Amino acid sequence: MNELVPLLIRWYETVRKPLPWRESPTPYHVWISEIMLQQTRIEAVIPYYRRFLAELPTVADLAAVPDDRLMKLWEGLGYYSRARNLKKAAQVIVSDCNGELPGTADELRRLPGIGDYTAGAIASIAFGQPEPAVDGNVLRVISRITASSEDIALEKTKTNVRERLRAVYPVGREAGLLTEALMELGETVCLPNTAPRCLGCPVCGHCQAFATRTTDCYPVKSGKKARRIEERTVLLVKCGNRYALRKRPDAGILAGMWEFPNAAGHLSGKEAVEKCKVSGKVAEIRPLGTAKHIFSHLEWHMIGYEVHVIAEDGTLTWANADEIRTDYAVPTAFRYFTGLLE
């Protein structure tokens, strides 16, 4: 493993892409980028990252941002608990750490939303600490290099890989370079779900899976549970040029975000109006078609109706299409219906 470190660092310095968070790897910038990059493609994150930092350039700004504005800045990135935990952590940093992120992985792990991977990434990239950041990419790389049959879905496997890497990690600038080199190798060369690009790998001469022609056997991973499917009926309730919105509960899926009235099941228009407790005289109901949204553990299969009412219901929030798109954080799950607003 010791022999791999300089090879990976030299390779990374020749291939590294000019990403915005690499231009100024301050602790705050690394933290925001790593949270955004969880479960999200690099290309999708870049405009969100720039917009987020333009409006919230410091930890103190993040700690003080209103929840609705934070959700609007995050709208479309998904996994919204990430944004809520960012604000919670920022408030702790301001109140307990003089507004500065702590510099060790152990201290970072105590903050909301920061686990072993993110703590390792911040500690190594921003502070030069000898702390690995082990995610799916790194597990795949190390599993192939060592031809390990350990199940990467198990926490003990992640712990074992983390300890093996920590034993050979450099300090200072090279710690961050090694962290990013391992990430880059997994993202661009040692690929998942397809043949790895072994001839472009800087450490293929040390890779046991490559030597034995068994790269397709690694990593070993136990299967995921099938997603649960939920049917829902969504209503675009319209009065004049304004539509009804309601806020989701503060806990659970899509917590605290804005949504169109909806109910469980595939219902008729009349049933949905009754179940969503839309008050006021209904002038017209017309179908809007179907949509599907996939969460990590769940699928929503949706049908929809546009419902014209004579007067606005005071228990709901009303806004026109431009206001909804500009001021209200409506989850991507409802993107199909947001696209139908006039």
Side-chain angles (χ1 to χ4, degrees):
M1 295 290 284
N2 273 309
E3 295 175 13
L4 304 182
V5 173
L7 295 174
L8 285 166
I9 290 174
R10 285 199 298 271
W11 169 80
Y12 174 69
E13 289 190 297
T14 65
V15 302
R16 61 184 293 174
K17 292 173 283 194
L19 299 172
W21 43 88
R22 290 175 179 169
E23 295 167 5
S24 177
T26 66
Y28 181 57
H29 292 174
V30 174
W31 175 37
I32 299 302
S33 67
E34 288 299 334
I35 297 297
M36 286 186 170
L37 286 165
Q38 293 170 11
Q39 308 290 331
T40 311
R41 293 179 302 106
I42 289 173
E43 295 77 11
V45 164
I46 291 172
Y48 282 94
Y49 174 83
R50 287 180 169 144
R51 185 163 60 246
F52 193 95
L53 287 184
E55 187 155 337
L56 306 175
T58 69
V59 175
D61 294 320
L62 173 56
V65 66
D67 288 346
D68 280 347
R69 186 58 193 158
L70 176 63
M71 290 296 105
K72 190 63 185 175
L73 287 170
W74 203 267
E75 181 184 10
L77 269 177
Y79 301 93
Y80 292 92
S81 60
R82 295 183 293 173
R84 289 188 288 273
N85 281 330
L86 275 173
K87 181 176 176 179
K88 289 177 186 176
Q91 291 173 331
V92 173
I93 293 166
V94 168
S95 63
D96 298 352
C97 308
N98 297 318
E100 300 290 337
L101 269 81
T104 70
D106 285 341
E107 293 173 302
L108 288 163
R109 286 187 195 97
R110 300 189 189 111
L111 295 170
I114 296 184
D116 288 329
Y117 167 78
T118 307
I122 299 170
S124 58
I125 297 170
F127 293 106
Q129 297 293 312
E131 279 290 337
V134 177
D135 65 353
N137 283 322
V138 175
L139 286 170
R140 183 171 60 258
V141 167
I142 301 302
S143 292
R144 285 176 174 159
I145 288 173
T146 60
S148 171
S149 58
E150 291 183 275
D151 184 351
I152 65 167
L154 301 180
E155 193 58 41
K156 69 177 183 179
T157 302
K158 297 177 187 176
T159 300
N160 290 341
V161 170
R162 194 178 299 116
E163 292 307 314
R164 291 189 73 177
L165 285 171
R166 187 177 285 122
V168 300
Y169 241 71
V171 297
R173 177 173 176 269
E174 288 193 342
L177 292 176
L178 179 57
T179 291
E180 297 204 83
L182 286 165
M183 294 178 188
E184 189 84 5
L185 192 66
E187 289 169 1
T188 63
V189 176
C190 200
L191 301 169
N193 306 319
T194 188
R197 299 167 180 166
C198 296
L199 296 182
C201 176
V203 294
C204 68
H206 298 262
C207 178
Q208 294 182 41
F210 176 72
T212 56
R213 306 288 194 272
T214 55
T215 54
D216 59 329
C217 298
Y218 306 100
V220 174
K221 186 176 184 180
S222 51
K224 289 184 177 180
K225 291 182 179 178
R227 293 190 191 94
R228 188 174 80 254
I229 293 176
E230 288 186 2
E231 295 180 338
R232 302 202 70 80
T233 301
V234 180
L235 300 181
L236 292 185
V237 183
K238 187 176 183 183
C239 183
N241 71 336
R242 286 161 44 106
Y243 295 87
L245 295 169
R246 67 186 187 190
K247 206 164 195 181
R248 291 183 65 84
D250 290 333
I253 192 169
L254 304 176
M257 301 194 72
W258 293 93
E259 67 177 1
F260 304 112
N262 63 91
H266 282 175
L267 309 174
S268 70
K270 184 177 180 182
E271 288 172 332
V273 165
E274 291 174 358
K275 204 155 190 178
C276 292
K277 298 179 181 178
V278 176
S279 65
K281 185 176 179 182
V282 174
E284 181 187 4
I285 300 176
R286 66 180 186 88
L288 291 175
T290 64
K292 181 170 78 171
H293 185 76
I294 298 175
F295 300 92
S296 58
H297 62 292
L298 172 69
E299 289 185 23
W300 277 0
H301 292 192
M302 295 170 280
I303 63 172
Y305 298 93
E306 185 172 89
V307 179
H308 290 256
V309 296
I310 302 302
E312 293 183 2
D313 179 347
T315 66
L316 297 167
T317 297
W318 296 81
N320 64 39
D322 287 341
E323 291 168 336
I324 291 172
R325 293 189 177 104
T326 303
D327 301 329
Y328 293 86
V330 178
T332 308
F334 298 101
R335 177 180 290 167
Y336 170 77
F337 300 98
T338 305
L340 298 177
L341 301 179
E342 296 176 359

